[in-house]
């Protein structure tokens, strides 16, 4: 019986070793597949995270663009309003200066008219002088004073 045991033993050991070897190869193959599946899952999670971050970044960029546009529009509207106020003020200043200058011109004109009236002799004051040697050559003045301006170039 001992010989049977030894005779059957090496074949059984070889079969057992073969079975263990196949089991180890299958486990190794299974570990490689699990490791590869883990790598694929990690890659996919990374893709999803990057995609989510990209979408979030694009949305943030769109909000920033909208906000900058809104701020620029408000600045432009304020500038336009200030420009309108400035133009109105400038027009008012020009109008006021024009009125003042016209008033000054009228004052000067009235002053000249008053001073010319002093130099013009009215007809009634010459009516009493009828002697021939006291006769004055007199022309009737017009209602408007006459100005003679001579412009000399230098």
């Amino acid at each position: 019986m001992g010989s049977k045991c030894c005779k059957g033993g090496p074949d059984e050991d070889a079969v057992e070793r073969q079975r263990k070897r196949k089991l180890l190869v299958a486990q190794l193959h299974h570990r490689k597949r699990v490791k590869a599946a883990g790598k694929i899952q990690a890659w996919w999670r990374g893709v999803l995270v990057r995609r989510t971050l990209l979408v979030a970044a694009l949305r943030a960029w769109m909000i920033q663009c909208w906000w900058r546009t809104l701020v620029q529009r408000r600045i432009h509207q304020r500038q336009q309003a200030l420009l309108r106020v400035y133009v109105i003020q400038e027009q008012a200043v020009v109008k006021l200066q024009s009125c003042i200058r016209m008033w000054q011109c009228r004052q000067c004109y009235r002053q000249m008219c008053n001073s010319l009236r002093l130099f013009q002799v009215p007809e009634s004051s010459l009516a009493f002088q009828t002697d021939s040697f006291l006769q004055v050559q007199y022309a009737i003045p017009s209602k408007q004073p006459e100005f003679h301006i001579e412009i000399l170039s230098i």
Side-chain angles (χ1 to χ4, degrees):
M1 244 177 91
S3 65
K4 279 185 173 182
C5 196
C6 288
K7 227 178 182 183
D11 286 343
E12 284 181 25
D13 282 341
V15 170
E16 185 66 26
R17 275 185 277 161
Q18 189 70 21
R19 189 179 66 76
K20 282 184 180 181
R21 190 174 173 181
K22 283 184 180 181
L23 184 62
L24 282 174
V25 168
Q27 285 177 348
L28 183 63
H29 186 63
H30 179 68
R31 278 188 210 143
K32 284 183 178 179
R33 291 183 79 169
V34 168
K35 195 173 181 180
K39 286 184 177 181
I40 291 171
Q41 288 174 351
W43 171 80
W44 183 246
R45 281 192 305 269
V47 166
L48 292 178
V49 167
R50 284 189 292 277
R51 188 181 296 168
T52 304
L53 289 175
L54 178 64
V55 168
L58 287 174
R59 288 179 181 166
W61 178 73
M62 287 172 53
I63 291 170
Q64 289 170 351
C65 287
W66 169 79
W67 180 252
R68 286 186 195 117
T69 303
L70 185 71
V71 168
Q72 285 299 110
R73 191 176 302 138
R74 286 182 181 171
I75 289 172
H76 182 70
Q77 287 173 348
R78 283 188 203 136
Q79 288 175 342
Q80 290 296 317
L82 288 173
L83 186 62
R84 275 188 234 110
V85 168
Y86 174 76
V87 166
I88 289 170
Q89 288 175 347
E90 284 294 312
Q91 288 175 345
V93 165
V94 168
K95 185 79 167 178
L96 185 61
Q97 287 174 345
S98 173
C99 289
I100 296 291
R101 287 187 183 123
M102 195 61 205
W103 177 77
Q104 288 173 339
C105 287
R106 286 188 186 118
Q107 288 292 95
C108 184
Y109 178 76
R110 283 187 196 121
Q111 232 177 6
M112 286 184 171
C113 286
N114 288 338
S115 63
L116 286 177
R117 277 190 217 135
L118 291 176
F119 295 119
Q120 292 175 350
V121 181
E123 292 179 34
S124 61
S125 65
L126 295 177
F128 68 91
Q129 297 177 358
T130 54
D131 291 342
S132 60
F133 68 95
L134 288 179
Q135 281 188 357
V136 177
Q137 293 180 353
Y138 179 74
I140 299 173
S142 64
K143 298 284 183 188
Q144 296 293 327
E146 292 182 21
F147 295 105
H148 297 283
I149 299 174
E150 187 173 330
I151 299 174
L152 302 173
S153 61
I154 297 174

